[in-house]
Amino acid sequence: MSFKKIFIKTFGCQMNEYDSNRIYDNVSKIGFIKTDDQANAACYVLNTCHIRDKAKEKVYHEIGRIKKLYRDKKKPIMVVAGCVAQAENEEILKREPYIDIVIGPQSYHKMNDLLKQHETNLKQEETEFDTISKFGHFDKIKNNDSKVSAFLTIQEGCDKFCNFCVVPYTRGPEYSRPFFKIVEEAEQLIQNGAREITLLGQNVNAYSYKENSKEFRISNLINHLNQYSELKRIRYTTSHPRDMTDDLIDCYSSNKKLMPFVHLPIQSGSNRILELMNRKHTVDDYIKIYEKLKKINKEIEFSSDFIIGYPGETEKDFEDTYNLLKKIKFINSFSFIFSPRPGTKASKLDIIDNNVAKQRLTLIQEKLFNNQIEINKSMEDQTIEVLVENKMKNQSKLFGRNKYISPVIFDGINSNIGKIVKVKILKSNQNTLFGLINKNKKAA
Ligand code: SAM
Ligand code: SF4
Ligand code: F3S
């Protein structure tokens, strides 16, 4: 078979990254092969994100850029996938004739048929919510992602409907994949070289799969994965405070491969704002989870997501958020100004003054970034465990991550890739630790 090249540009969260890899696996069955050269592809896919800002406009901007790239060449089959495709569906085809296929995240199992039918030059749009069929189809294909650190989607969609968020509209209702299908995929990833697996879901800890009147939760999955000796580390993201149940919390004492790092979005430190957001958890609930986990293992560190300038946020609400950062020293967090998303309840509310929102964001980020710098600084001169992921592009150095997922760049040898090594940290900045292998300490 002669292969045609396919290039996917991925935006947004890890779930999009996982999806892009599954699309690559899937289209290989009809003669497409992954390329990193975006200027010479027979098929160009934009896997889009709709979570904030001018997501739709970014798509058209990207198309303008791709048109220029292919001005003197054969036009690629242009596919818009992901959450913007789901939200905008046939509107995209109407507005931009350069686009051939629009496909939503729950329809990727239909991608091959759409590409084959494209030969007849039809414009096509596929945005049904069909999660079960998607995973049913993907289960039959090898997950070829052979990275040291691999993603595995266990759950998709969301039923929580926070007033600011598009995810329930772009990813559809909550769906949990069958337990044993996930295990099969994990085994495949480990065989392909994965030494760390991150379980993914829009609400990953809401995972619940029932079979023969037994319920499987994320804690069952984590404990099951623990038995594979080649697998060194387990993570999961993104978790929701409401689903932080005791069985999951207990994993932090019973399971040595589960990393002591919890990404737990709070969004706001003000109960009034949390209620306006329809979050259905309070700051106190959050602090209780933090304290329970710290009691189990004081090494556990936290990161979070914050929305600043939510409609109705007063100076006092903002101070509550700021003061929470004094109580919990998040080691790295995402913070953004509220962005009205089409179709959500909050999009109809009056937004607060943009200058005020910007000032608040600056204050929050200063505090968060200073925490990060301080924590990284405290690791200097220490020897820490690093899972080595790859060699840096155009450099002799290796790249890996510590248990808190912070990037570590250090001098080592290629045979260290895929292993946990001890690295002496010599320098740090806000985002990265720099060091060299401590030869006196044995690798795992
Ligand atoms: N399910 C997770 C939870 O509930 O905590 C979050 C998943 S969401 C894909 C990732 C993050 O995007 C959220 O935690 C939130 O901080 C941010 N986000 C979502 N909608 C937003 C909006 N309209 N404006 C600004 N940030 C937003
Ligand atoms: Fe969005 Fe998370 Fe809320 Fe669901 S729980 S609506 S994904 S922020
Ligand atoms: Fe973005 Fe969709 Fe993920 S909106 S954050 S790509 S679920």
Side-chain angles (χ1 to χ4, degrees):
M1 193 192 309
S2 74
F3 283 101
K4 290 167 274 184
K5 290 178 185 161
I6 177 167
F7 177 83
I8 308 182
K9 184 161 182 179
T10 308
F11 300 84
C13 63
Q14 293 101 326
M15 303 206 51
N16 264 11
E17 222 177 288
Y18 173 87
D19 286 344
S20 292
N21 281 322
R22 299 317 305 269
I23 294 173
Y24 279 133
D25 291 339
N26 192 25
V27 296
S28 68
K29 288 189 7 193
I30 56 161
F32 280 93
I33 186 165
K34 175 180 173 175
T35 176
D36 291 327
D37 178 4
Q38 62 165 317
N40 286 298
C43 177
Y44 196 120
V45 182
L46 284 178
N47 193 0
T48 59
C49 172
H50 202 45
I51 204 81
R52 272 180 297 269
D53 306 327
K54 303 178 181 81
K56 194 169 62 174
E57 295 315 311
K58 269 187 213 155
V59 172
Y60 299 114
H61 183 261
E62 275 292 320
I63 301 286
R65 199 185 54 80
I66 297 163
K67 273 184 187 169
K68 276 192 202 145
L69 214 55
Y70 284 83
R71 197 169 29 209
D72 304 321
K73 297 175 191 162
K74 187 171 185 283
K75 175 189 173 306
I77 304 173
M78 188 67 232
V79 182
V80 177
C83 291
V84 177
Q86 186 64 47
E88 294 293 317
N89 48 60
E90 73 259 20
E91 283 308 308
I92 303 184
L93 287 178
K94 280 189 201 143
R95 180 164 154 190
E96 178 48 86
Y98 197 77
I99 299 168
D100 300 296
I101 295 171
V102 173
I103 185 164
Q106 306 312 3
S107 304
Y108 293 150
H109 55 298
K110 297 180 188 158
M111 183 82 143
N112 287 1
D113 285 342
L114 294 183
L115 286 173
K116 280 194 274 177
Q117 284 158 20
H118 178 70
E119 315 279 290
T120 57
N121 263 337
L122 272 181
K123 297 272 171 191
Q124 294 157 104
E125 177 261 325
E126 192 56 71
T127 48
E128 290 287 301
F129 282 136
D130 205 359
T131 332
I132 300 178
S133 315
K134 177 175 85 170
F135 281 112
H137 179 83
F138 280 171
D139 285 339
K140 297 187 192 88
I141 314 166
K142 231 176 155 185
N143 186 345
N144 281 319
D145 182 3
S146 59
K147 288 190 185 135
V148 168
S149 177
F151 292 139
L152 202 177
T153 294
I154 66 167
Q155 178 276 343
E156 273 219 49
C158 179
D159 296 335
K160 292 195 167 65
F161 290 91
C162 300
N163 287 339
F164 52 81
C165 183
V166 285
V167 169
Y169 309 99
T170 61
R171 292 277 172 168
E174 244 168 60
Y175 167 76
S176 293
R177 293 179 66 192
F179 183 85
F180 292 104
K181 292 290 178 191
I182 297 169
V183 168
E184 263 173 39
E185 198 174 318
E187 286 175 354
Q188 186 97 62
L189 288 170
I190 296 167
Q191 261 175 36
N192 288 349
R195 297 295 168 258
E196 172 177 273
I197 290 182
T198 304
L199 304 174
L200 297 181
Q202 267 91 26
N203 276 292
V204 73
N205 54 342
Y207 176 81
S208 164
Y209 176 73
K210 295 191 183 84
E211 198 174 85
N212 301 331
S213 68
K214 179 168 167 36
E215 187 192 15
F216 295 89
R217 310 252 330 143
I218 190 173
S219 55
N220 302 105
L221 268 172
I222 292 169
N223 288 330
H224 187 93
L225 293 185
N226 194 43
Q227 67 178 288
Y228 299 100
S229 59
E230 300 97 321
L231 187 69
K232 306 291 178 205
R233 290 178 168 183
I234 305 167
R235 303 182 188 273
Y236 61 89
T237 198
T238 298
S239 42
H240 191 287
R242 264 165 69 194
D243 297 307
M244 208 66 205
T245 47
D246 283 342
D247 55 322
L248 177 54
I249 291 179
D250 285 345
C251 289
Y252 286 90
S253 64
S254 59
N255 192 308
K256 297 288 166 254
K257 291 184 185 172
L258 181 60
M259 289 296 98
F261 178 62
V262 187
H263 180 73
L264 198 58
I266 182 154
Q267 315 300 356
S268 170
S270 151
N271 283 335
R272 202 180 70 83
I273 294 296
L274 288 176
E275 199 175 335
L276 289 177
M277 288 175 164
N278 192 31
R279 283 293 283 182
K280 297 203 172 80
H281 63 79
T282 63
V283 178
D284 209 36
D285 297 331
Y286 197 89
I287 291 175
K288 275 190 192 131
I289 297 168
Y290 169 83
E291 283 171 351
K292 266 191 200 173
L293 282 162
K294 276 285 190 194
K295 202 168 156 199
I296 284 182
N297 178 357
K298 65 175 178 358
E299 269 198 14
I300 297 176
E301 297 290 356
F302 291 75
S303 64
S304 197
D305 294 346
F306 295 91
I307 296 180
I308 304 301
Y310 190 75
E313 185 189 75
T314 62
E315 203 53 39
K316 163 82 176 68
D317 296 316
F318 173 70
E319 270 168 28
D320 288 347
T321 303
Y322 194 83
N323 288 335
L324 180 73
L325 302 192
K326 293 182 188 155
K327 261 194 212 135
I328 303 181
K329 220 171 186 183
F330 294 102
I331 75 170
N332 69 56
S333 291
F334 300 98
S335 48
F336 291 96
I337 292 178
F338 165 73
S339 165
R341 308 313 295 131
T344 60
K345 280 199 177 157
S347 67
K348 298 184 189 79
L349 305 174
D350 290 338
I351 52 169
I352 72 163
D353 184 284
N354 193 37
N355 285 331
V356 173
K358 274 189 186 158
Q359 276 165 16
R360 289 179 186 168
L361 184 71
T362 306
L363 282 172
I364 281 283
Q365 292 193 331
E366 248 171 40
K367 181 86 188 138
L368 288 168
F369 295 164
N370 281 339
N371 277 356
Q372 240 169 282
I373 292 170
E374 225 178 273
I375 289 164
N376 282 353
K377 195 111 200 115
S378 73
M379 291 190 202
E380 289 181 9
D381 290 332
Q382 284 192 34
T383 296
I384 60 169
E385 286 193 344
V386 174
L387 174 61
V388 190
E389 293 190 15
N390 53 270
K391 193 162 170 278
M392 302 275 296
K393 254 189 199 155
N394 310 323
Q395 281 187 47
S396 60
K397 301 206 182 276
L398 295 182
F399 175 90
R401 289 181 189 274
N402 72 356
K403 57 190 170 191
Y404 302 127
I405 221 165
S406 307
V408 185
I409 295 174
F410 62 99
D411 292 310
I413 47 175
N414 282 0
S415 60
N416 294 140
I417 295 171
K419 291 183 181 151
I420 292 185
V421 295
K422 307 267 185 186
V423 175
K424 172 141 190 199
I425 301 303
L426 302 174
K427 255 188 346 178
S428 69
N429 62 26
Q430 184 192 317
N431 297 314
T432 312
L433 302 162
F434 302 90
L436 46 89
I437 286 233
N438 193 333
K439 293 201 178 87
N440 301 323
K441 311 262 172 157
K442 211 176 153 289

